[in-house]
Amino acid sequence: MWKEKRVIKVTKSFKVYLLIWTMCLIIFNIVIFASPARINVVNGNFWIGYIFIIIAFLIQLACTYIALKKENLKRMFYNISLILISYIYLFLLIVVGTICIVLPAPISITIILCIILTGLFTFIIIVTCFSISFVSNIDREIKSKTFTIKQLTVDAEHLINVAKTDELKIVCKKVYEALRYSDPMNNMSLSEINQLIQNEFKTFENAINENDIEIAQAISIELINLIDKRNKKCTLLK
């Protein structure tokens, strides 16, 4: 449900932007078609410049859509660079296109300038998208690597609060401290011991909830030993 609400929010943001974008496009068309520069329509410069400017508008809209549709706030932050690049491209092409429309330059020069600008910024946009995807994948990888220990640490802290006796609270605190100061990073080589720790912690959690101090103490010792073993493996893998 949370995800659905978030997607709707982002979609509304893009709809607002689309309205503004449409208004700008309409204003541009009114200005350009009411301008005396239309006299150059005879030599073709007007339509060449006009078509490439419309392409720039569409590319800018596509870049903004890509940026605003992302659910991840950090990735949306990265995508600001994509929006900025598209704005620069649109601005430059409007300037170049307008100059080509106003000045009686050869059609070949108009085409070459517009193609060079479009090709250059298309390349920059593609590289930027690749970089954003690469950085976002690194973020996800780091998050997945630290999730196991961090999640268990949070769960262990919660057990301290729900433990019904002082003895159980002391046992929970020992496990919590062991997790809190353990290495949060991960590695494929640690997958087996991670699973063992998760299984032991689940059994430990059940013992706490059932107020079984004997089982809780026994499992806490095994759990702390596993955490210590994992920390030593982490040190060797670095």
Side-chain angles (χ1 to χ4, degrees), residues 158-172:
H158 174 69
L159 286 179
I160 297 175
N161 297 324
V162 300
K164 296 180 180 179
T165 66
D166 290 337
E167 288 181 307
L168 288 173
K169 287 182 182 293
I170 292 173
V171 174
C172 290

Side-chain angles (χ1 to χ4, degrees), residues 114-129:
C114 291
I115 288 178
I116 289 175
L117 268 178
T118 301
L120 176 62
F121 275 91
T122 299
F123 174 77
I124 293 174
I125 288 170
I126 291 173
V127 171
T128 302
C129 287

